[in-house]
PDB file of all heavy atoms in Angstrom:
ATOM      1  N   LEU H 338      71.771  20.242 127.778  1.00 92.00           N
ATOM      2  CA  LEU H 338      73.049  20.065 128.481  1.00 92.00           C
ATOM      3  C   LEU H 338      73.967  21.246 128.232  1.00 92.00           C
ATOM      4  O   LEU H 338      74.658  21.719 129.115  1.00 92.00           O
ATOM      5  CB  LEU H 338      73.715  18.761 128.019  1.00 92.00           C
ATOM      6  CG  LEU H 338      72.853  17.500 128.212  1.00 92.00           C
ATOM      7  CD1 LEU H 338      73.559  16.267 127.636  1.00 92.00           C
ATOM      8  CD2 LEU H 338      72.542  17.290 129.695  1.00 92.00           C
ATOM      9  N   SER H 339      73.962  21.717 126.984  1.00 91.00           N
ATOM     10  CA  SER H 339      74.793  22.894 126.685  1.00 91.00           C
ATOM     11  C   SER H 339      74.155  23.662 125.544  1.00 91.00           C
ATOM     12  O   SER H 339      73.372  23.107 124.774  1.00 91.00           O
ATOM     13  CB  SER H 339      76.203  22.461 126.270  1.00 91.00           C
ATOM     14  OG  SER H 339      76.125  21.719 125.058  1.00 91.00           O
ATOM     15  N   ALA H 340      74.472  24.920 125.470  1.00 90.00           N
ATOM     16  CA  ALA H 340      73.956  25.774 124.400  1.00 90.00           C
ATOM     17  C   ALA H 340      75.098  26.663 123.923  1.00 90.00           C
ATOM     18  O   ALA H 340      75.543  27.548 124.634  1.00 90.00           O
ATOM     19  CB  ALA H 340      72.791  26.619 124.921  1.00 90.00           C
ATOM     20  N   GLU H 341      75.616  26.390 122.702  1.00 90.00           N
ATOM     21  CA  GLU H 341      76.743  27.146 122.155  1.00 90.00           C
ATOM     22  C   GLU H 341      76.268  28.022 121.008  1.00 90.00           C
ATOM     23  O   GLU H 341      75.295  27.702 120.329  1.00 90.00           O
ATOM     24  CB  GLU H 341      77.805  26.171 121.592  1.00 90.00           C
ATOM     25  CG  GLU H 341      78.263  25.104 122.567  1.00 90.00           C
ATOM     26  CD  GLU H 341      79.037  25.681 123.745  1.00 90.00           C
ATOM     27  OE1 GLU H 341      79.610  26.784 123.597  1.00 90.00           O
ATOM     28  OE2 GLU H 341      79.036  25.028 124.815  1.00 90.00           O
ATOM     29  N   GLN H 342      76.995  29.096 120.772  1.00 91.00           N
ATOM     30  CA  GLN H 342      76.696  29.971 119.643  1.00 91.00           C
ATOM     31  C   GLN H 342      76.926  29.227 118.331  1.00 91.00           C
ATOM     32  O   GLN H 342      77.924  28.511 118.174  1.00 91.00           O
ATOM     33  CB  GLN H 342      77.589  31.213 119.703  1.00 91.00           C
ATOM     34  CG  GLN H 342      77.258  32.276 118.679  1.00 91.00           C
ATOM     35  CD  GLN H 342      75.861  32.836 118.890  1.00 91.00           C
ATOM     36  OE1 GLN H 342      75.462  33.111 120.020  1.00 91.00           O
ATOM     37  NE2 GLN H 342      75.101  32.960 117.810  1.00 91.00           N
ATOM     38  N   HIS H 343      75.996  29.356 117.390  1.00 90.00           N
ATOM     39  CA  HIS H 343      76.160  28.782 116.050  1.00 90.00           C
ATOM     40  C   HIS H 343      77.319  29.507 115.364  1.00 90.00           C
ATOM     41  O   HIS H 343      77.392  30.743 115.432  1.00 90.00           O
ATOM     42  CB  HIS H 343      74.858  28.985 115.261  1.00 90.00           C
ATOM     43  CG  HIS H 343      74.818  28.280 113.936  1.00 90.00           C
ATOM     44  ND1 HIS H 343      75.608  28.653 112.873  1.00 90.00           N
ATOM     45  CD2 HIS H 343      74.084  27.229 113.492  1.00 90.00           C
ATOM     46  CE1 HIS H 343      75.359  27.866 111.835  1.00 90.00           C
ATOM     47  NE2 HIS H 343      74.427  26.972 112.198  1.00 90.00           N
ATOM     48  N   PRO H 344      78.243  28.798 114.705  1.00 89.00           N
ATOM     49  CA  PRO H 344      79.416  29.466 114.116  1.00 89.00           C
ATOM     50  C   PRO H 344      79.056  30.475 113.034  1.00 89.00           C
ATOM     51  O   PRO H 344      79.763  31.463 112.846  1.00 89.00           O
ATOM     52  CB  PRO H 344      80.226  28.304 113.538  1.00 89.00           C
ATOM     53  CG  PRO H 344      79.271  27.155 113.420  1.00 89.00           C
ATOM     54  CD  PRO H 344      78.267  27.343 114.509  1.00 89.00           C
ATOM     55  N   ASP H 345      77.931  30.264 112.307  1.00 88.00           N
ATOM     56  CA  ASP H 345      77.647  31.119 111.159  1.00 88.00           C
ATOM     57  C   ASP H 345      76.338  31.892 111.282  1.00 88.00           C
ATOM     58  O   ASP H 345      75.866  32.461 110.302  1.00 88.00           O
ATOM     59  CB  ASP H 345      77.584  30.260 109.870  1.00 88.00           C
ATOM     60  CG  ASP H 345      78.946  29.663 109.564  1.00 88.00           C
ATOM     61  OD1 ASP H 345      79.949  30.377 109.768  1.00 88.00           O
ATOM     62  OD2 ASP H 345      78.983  28.483 109.157  1.00 88.00           O
ATOM     63  N   ALA H 346      75.715  31.886 112.438  1.00 87.00           N
ATOM     64  CA  ALA H 346      74.436  32.609 112.559  1.00 87.00           C
ATOM     65  C   ALA H 346      74.305  33.188 113.951  1.00 87.00           C
ATOM     66  O   ALA H 346      74.384  32.471 114.947  1.00 87.00           O
ATOM     67  CB  ALA H 346      73.271  31.665 112.272  1.00 87.00           C
ATOM     68  N   ASP H 347      74.116  34.524 114.005  1.00 87.00           N
ATOM     69  CA  ASP H 347      74.053  35.207 115.294  1.00 87.00           C
ATOM     70  C   ASP H 347      72.902  34.727 116.154  1.00 87.00           C
ATOM     71  O   ASP H 347      73.004  34.679 117.372  1.00 87.00           O
ATOM     72  CB  ASP H 347      73.872  36.721 115.070  1.00 87.00           C
ATOM     73  CG  ASP H 347      75.158  37.333 114.524  1.00 87.00           C
ATOM     74  OD1 ASP H 347      76.173  36.615 114.523  1.00 87.00           O
ATOM     75  OD2 ASP H 347      75.109  38.503 114.082  1.00 87.00           O
ATOM     76  N   ARG H 348      71.798  34.433 115.484  1.00 89.00           N
ATOM     77  CA  ARG H 348      70.581  34.171 116.269  1.00 89.00           C
ATOM     78  C   ARG H 348      70.374  32.706 116.579  1.00 89.00           C
ATOM     79  O   ARG H 348      69.382  32.338 117.205  1.00 89.00           O
ATOM     80  CB  ARG H 348      69.359  34.684 115.503  1.00 89.00           C
ATOM     81  CG  ARG H 348      69.419  36.199 115.358  1.00 89.00           C
ATOM     82  CD  ARG H 348      68.108  36.711 114.879  1.00 89.00           C
ATOM     83  NE  ARG H 348      68.150  38.156 114.857  1.00 89.00           N
ATOM     84  CZ  ARG H 348      67.227  38.918 114.318  1.00 89.00           C
ATOM     85  NH1 ARG H 348      66.172  38.345 113.762  1.00 89.00           N
ATOM     86  NH2 ARG H 348      67.334  40.216 114.345  1.00 89.00           N
ATOM     87  N   LEU H 349      71.218  31.852 116.099  1.00 90.00           N
ATOM     88  CA  LEU H 349      71.008  30.425 116.325  1.00 90.00           C
ATOM     89  C   LEU H 349      71.977  29.906 117.377  1.00 90.00           C
ATOM     90  O   LEU H 349      73.101  30.372 117.486  1.00 90.00           O
ATOM     91  CB  LEU H 349      71.195  29.650 115.023  1.00 90.00           C
ATOM     92  CG  LEU H 349      70.168  29.939 113.911  1.00 90.00           C
ATOM     93  CD1 LEU H 349      70.483  29.095 112.673  1.00 90.00           C
ATOM     94  CD2 LEU H 349      68.751  29.673 114.391  1.00 90.00           C
ATOM     95  N   ARG H 350      71.483  28.941 118.154  1.00 91.00           N
ATOM     96  CA  ARG H 350      72.339  28.279 119.121  1.00 91.00           C
ATOM     97  C   ARG H 350      72.384  26.790 118.775  1.00 91.00           C
ATOM     98  O   ARG H 350      71.386  26.248 118.284  1.00 91.00           O
ATOM     99  CB  ARG H 350      71.785  28.452 120.548  1.00 91.00           C
ATOM    100  CG  ARG H 350      72.690  29.200 121.481  1.00 91.00           C
ATOM    101  CD  ARG H 350      72.676  30.724 121.318  1.00 91.00           C
ATOM    102  NE  ARG H 350      71.371  31.304 121.575  1.00 91.00           N
ATOM    103  CZ  ARG H 350      70.924  31.649 122.796  1.00 91.00           C
ATOM    104  NH1 ARG H 350      71.688  31.466 123.858  1.00 91.00           N
ATOM    105  NH2 ARG H 350      69.749  32.206 122.933  1.00 91.00           N
ATOM    106  N   VAL H 351      73.513  26.176 119.031  1.00 92.00           N
ATOM    107  CA  VAL H 351      73.645  24.734 118.818  1.00 92.00           C
ATOM    108  C   VAL H 351      73.605  24.072 120.189  1.00 92.00           C
ATOM    109  O   VAL H 351      74.429  24.362 121.050  1.00 92.00           O
ATOM    110  CB  VAL H 351      74.967  24.385 118.093  1.00 92.00           C
ATOM    111  CG1 VAL H 351      75.053  22.874 117.873  1.00 92.00           C
ATOM    112  CG2 VAL H 351      75.043  25.136 116.763  1.00 92.00           C
ATOM    113  N   LEU H 352      72.575  23.235 120.363  1.00 92.00           N
ATOM    114  CA  LEU H 352      72.349  22.638 121.683  1.00 92.00           C
ATOM    115  C   LEU H 352      72.786  21.195 121.692  1.00 92.00           C
ATOM    116  O   LEU H 352      72.748  20.500 120.672  1.00 92.00           O
ATOM    117  CB  LEU H 352      70.853  22.669 122.046  1.00 92.00           C
ATOM    118  CG  LEU H 352      70.073  23.954 121.796  1.00 92.00           C
ATOM    119  CD1 LEU H 352      68.620  23.746 122.245  1.00 92.00           C
ATOM    120  CD2 LEU H 352      70.701  25.122 122.547  1.00 92.00           C
ATOM    121  N   SER H 353      73.134  20.760 122.875  1.00 92.00           N
ATOM    122  CA  SER H 353      73.276  19.328 123.117  1.00 92.00           C
ATOM    123  C   SER H 353      72.170  18.981 124.100  1.00 92.00           C
ATOM    124  O   SER H 353      72.083  19.565 125.183  1.00 92.00           O
ATOM    125  CB  SER H 353      74.662  19.052 123.708  1.00 92.00           C
ATOM    126  OG  SER H 353      74.697  17.702 124.112  1.00 92.00           O
ATOM    127  N   VAL H 354      71.289  18.084 123.663  1.00 93.00           N
ATOM    128  CA  VAL H 354      70.096  17.808 124.470  1.00 93.00           C
ATOM    129  C   VAL H 354      70.023  16.332 124.800  1.00 93.00           C
ATOM    130  O   VAL H 354      70.138  15.472 123.914  1.00 93.00           O
ATOM    131  CB  VAL H 354      68.826  18.241 123.705  1.00 93.00           C
ATOM    132  CG1 VAL H 354      67.589  18.054 124.586  1.00 93.00           C
ATOM    133  CG2 VAL H 354      68.938  19.691 123.235  1.00 93.00           C
ATOM    134  N   ASP H 355      69.799  16.040 126.070  1.00 93.00           N
ATOM    135  CA  ASP H 355      69.565  14.659 126.499  1.00 93.00           C
ATOM    136  C   ASP H 355      68.091  14.369 126.316  1.00 93.00           C
ATOM    137  O   ASP H 355      67.241  14.972 126.985  1.00 93.00           O
ATOM    138  CB  ASP H 355      69.980  14.510 127.968  1.00 93.00           C
ATOM    139  CG  ASP H 355      69.624  13.123 128.506  1.00 93.00           C
ATOM    140  OD1 ASP H 355      69.167  12.260 127.698  1.00 93.00           O
ATOM    141  OD2 ASP H 355      69.791  12.914 129.729  1.00 93.00           O
ATOM    142  N   THR H 356      67.789  13.453 125.363  1.00 91.00           N
ATOM    143  CA  THR H 356      66.386  13.102 125.150  1.00 91.00           C
ATOM    144  C   THR H 356      66.134  11.655 125.553  1.00 91.00           C
ATOM    145  O   THR H 356      65.242  10.989 125.047  1.00 91.00           O
ATOM    146  CB  THR H 356      65.995  13.309 123.669  1.00 91.00           C
ATOM    147  OG1 THR H 356      66.946  12.615 122.856  1.00 91.00           O
ATOM    148  CG2 THR H 356      65.986  14.771 123.296  1.00 91.00           C
ATOM    149  N   GLY H 357      66.970  11.158 126.468  1.00 90.00           N
ATOM    150  CA  GLY H 357      66.764   9.806 126.976  1.00 90.00           C
ATOM    151  C   GLY H 357      67.427   8.746 126.131  1.00 90.00           C
ATOM    152  O   GLY H 357      67.313   7.561 126.438  1.00 90.00           O
ATOM    153  N   ASP H 358      68.082   9.145 125.037  1.00 90.00           N
ATOM    154  CA  ASP H 358      68.825   8.177 124.225  1.00 90.00           C
ATOM    155  C   ASP H 358      70.187   7.938 124.870  1.00 90.00           C
ATOM    156  O   ASP H 358      70.553   8.590 125.840  1.00 90.00           O
ATOM    157  CB  ASP H 358      69.007   8.712 122.801  1.00 90.00           C
ATOM    158  CG  ASP H 358      67.673   8.939 122.111  1.00 90.00           C
ATOM    159  OD1 ASP H 358      66.837   7.997 122.117  1.00 90.00           O
ATOM    160  OD2 ASP H 358      67.453  10.063 121.602  1.00 90.00           O
ATOM    161  N   GLU H 359      70.936   7.006 124.236  1.00 89.00           N
ATOM    162  CA  GLU H 359      72.243   6.665 124.803  1.00 89.00           C
ATOM    163  C   GLU H 359      73.169   7.862 124.838  1.00 89.00           C
ATOM    164  O   GLU H 359      73.874   8.097 125.809  1.00 89.00           O
ATOM    165  CB  GLU H 359      72.874   5.537 123.988  1.00 89.00           C
ATOM    166  CG  GLU H 359      72.296   4.187 124.407  1.00 89.00           C
ATOM    167  CD  GLU H 359      72.778   3.066 123.510  1.00 89.00           C
ATOM    168  OE1 GLU H 359      73.853   3.218 122.891  1.00 89.00           O
ATOM    169  OE2 GLU H 359      72.061   2.050 123.426  1.00 89.00           O
ATOM    170  N   SER H 360      73.128   8.637 123.744  1.00 90.00           N
ATOM    171  CA  SER H 360      73.987   9.829 123.743  1.00 90.00           C
ATOM    172  C   SER H 360      73.118  11.057 123.447  1.00 90.00           C
ATOM    173  O   SER H 360      72.046  10.933 122.849  1.00 90.00           O
ATOM    174  CB  SER H 360      75.069   9.682 122.679  1.00 90.00           C
ATOM    175  OG  SER H 360      74.461   9.399 121.437  1.00 90.00           O
ATOM    176  N   PRO H 361      73.573  12.231 123.885  1.00 92.00           N
ATOM    177  CA  PRO H 361      72.809  13.458 123.623  1.00 92.00           C
ATOM    178  C   PRO H 361      72.711  13.712 122.130  1.00 92.00           C
ATOM    179  O   PRO H 361      73.531  13.249 121.355  1.00 92.00           O
ATOM    180  CB  PRO H 361      73.636  14.552 124.301  1.00 92.00           C
ATOM    181  CG  PRO H 361      74.652  13.854 125.130  1.00 92.00           C
ATOM    182  CD  PRO H 361      74.838  12.478 124.591  1.00 92.00           C
ATOM    183  N   ARG H 362      71.714  14.463 121.747  1.00 91.00           N
ATOM    184  CA  ARG H 362      71.589  14.791 120.321  1.00 91.00           C
ATOM    185  C   ARG H 362      71.809  16.290 120.110  1.00 91.00           C
ATOM    186  O   ARG H 362      71.579  17.100 120.999  1.00 91.00           O
ATOM    187  CB  ARG H 362      70.276  14.327 119.741  1.00 91.00           C
ATOM    188  CG  ARG H 362      69.041  14.935 120.362  1.00 91.00           C
ATOM    189  CD  ARG H 362      67.785  14.453 119.635  1.00 91.00           C
ATOM    190  NE  ARG H 362      67.552  13.046 119.780  1.00 91.00           N
ATOM    191  CZ  ARG H 362      67.201  12.233 118.762  1.00 91.00           C
ATOM    192  NH1 ARG H 362      67.059  12.739 117.544  1.00 91.00           N
ATOM    193  NH2 ARG H 362      66.978  10.961 118.959  1.00 91.00           N
ATOM    194  N   GLN H 363      72.286  16.597 118.892  1.00 92.00           N
ATOM    195  CA  GLN H 363      72.566  17.992 118.538  1.00 92.00           C
ATOM    196  C   GLN H 363      71.326  18.606 117.903  1.00 92.00           C
ATOM    197  O   GLN H 363      70.751  18.058 116.979  1.00 92.00           O
ATOM    198  CB  GLN H 363      73.742  18.030 117.548  1.00 92.00           C
ATOM    199  CG  GLN H 363      74.037  19.416 117.022  1.00 92.00           C
ATOM    200  CD  GLN H 363      75.313  19.402 116.183  1.00 92.00           C
ATOM    201  OE1 GLN H 363      76.415  19.118 116.681  1.00 92.00           O
ATOM    202  NE2 GLN H 363      75.155  19.667 114.910  1.00 92.00           N
ATOM    203  N   ILE H 364      70.905  19.753 118.448  1.00 92.00           N
ATOM    204  CA  ILE H 364      69.724  20.436 117.916  1.00 92.00           C
ATOM    205  C   ILE H 364      70.053  21.913 117.754  1.00 92.00           C
ATOM    206  O   ILE H 364      70.655  22.513 118.654  1.00 92.00           O
ATOM    207  CB  ILE H 364      68.520  20.276 118.877  1.00 92.00           C
ATOM    208  CG1 ILE H 364      68.094  18.791 118.947  1.00 92.00           C
ATOM    209  CG2 ILE H 364      67.344  21.144 118.436  1.00 92.00           C
ATOM    210  CD1 ILE H 364      67.016  18.505 119.960  1.00 92.00           C
ATOM    211  N   VAL H 365      69.691  22.456 116.592  1.00 92.00           N
ATOM    212  CA  VAL H 365      69.881  23.902 116.378  1.00 92.00           C
ATOM    213  C   VAL H 365      68.585  24.601 116.755  1.00 92.00           C
ATOM    214  O   VAL H 365      67.503  24.159 116.388  1.00 92.00           O
ATOM    215  CB  VAL H 365      70.247  24.192 114.913  1.00 92.00           C
ATOM    216  CG1 VAL H 365      70.435  25.696 114.714  1.00 92.00           C
ATOM    217  CG2 VAL H 365      71.508  23.427 114.528  1.00 92.00           C
ATOM    218  N   CYS H 366      68.705  25.667 117.543  1.00 90.00           N
ATOM    219  CA  CYS H 366      67.532  26.331 118.087  1.00 90.00           C
ATOM    220  C   CYS H 366      67.654  27.842 117.926  1.00 90.00           C
ATOM    221  O   CYS H 366      68.725  28.411 118.143  1.00 90.00           O
ATOM    222  CB  CYS H 366      67.385  25.968 119.560  1.00 90.00           C
ATOM    223  SG  CYS H 366      65.953  26.724 120.351  1.00 90.00           S
ATOM    224  N   GLY H 367      66.548  28.497 117.527  1.00 88.00           N
ATOM    225  CA  GLY H 367      66.581  29.943 117.314  1.00 88.00           C
ATOM    226  C   GLY H 367      65.907  30.729 118.416  1.00 88.00           C
ATOM    227  O   GLY H 367      65.823  31.951 118.349  1.00 88.00           O
TER     228      GLY H 367
END
Side-chain angles (χ1 to χ4, degrees):
Chain H
L338 303 176
S339 64
E341 307 293 336
Q342 187 63 44
H343 188 291
D345 294 321
D347 289 350
R348 295 192 175 170
L349 295 180
R350 242 79 62 86
V351 181
L352 315 181
S353 172
V354 184
D355 174 6
T356 52
D358 299 309
E359 279 173 24
S360 54
R362 61 177 65 225
Q363 175 173 297
I364 294 174
V365 180
C366 180

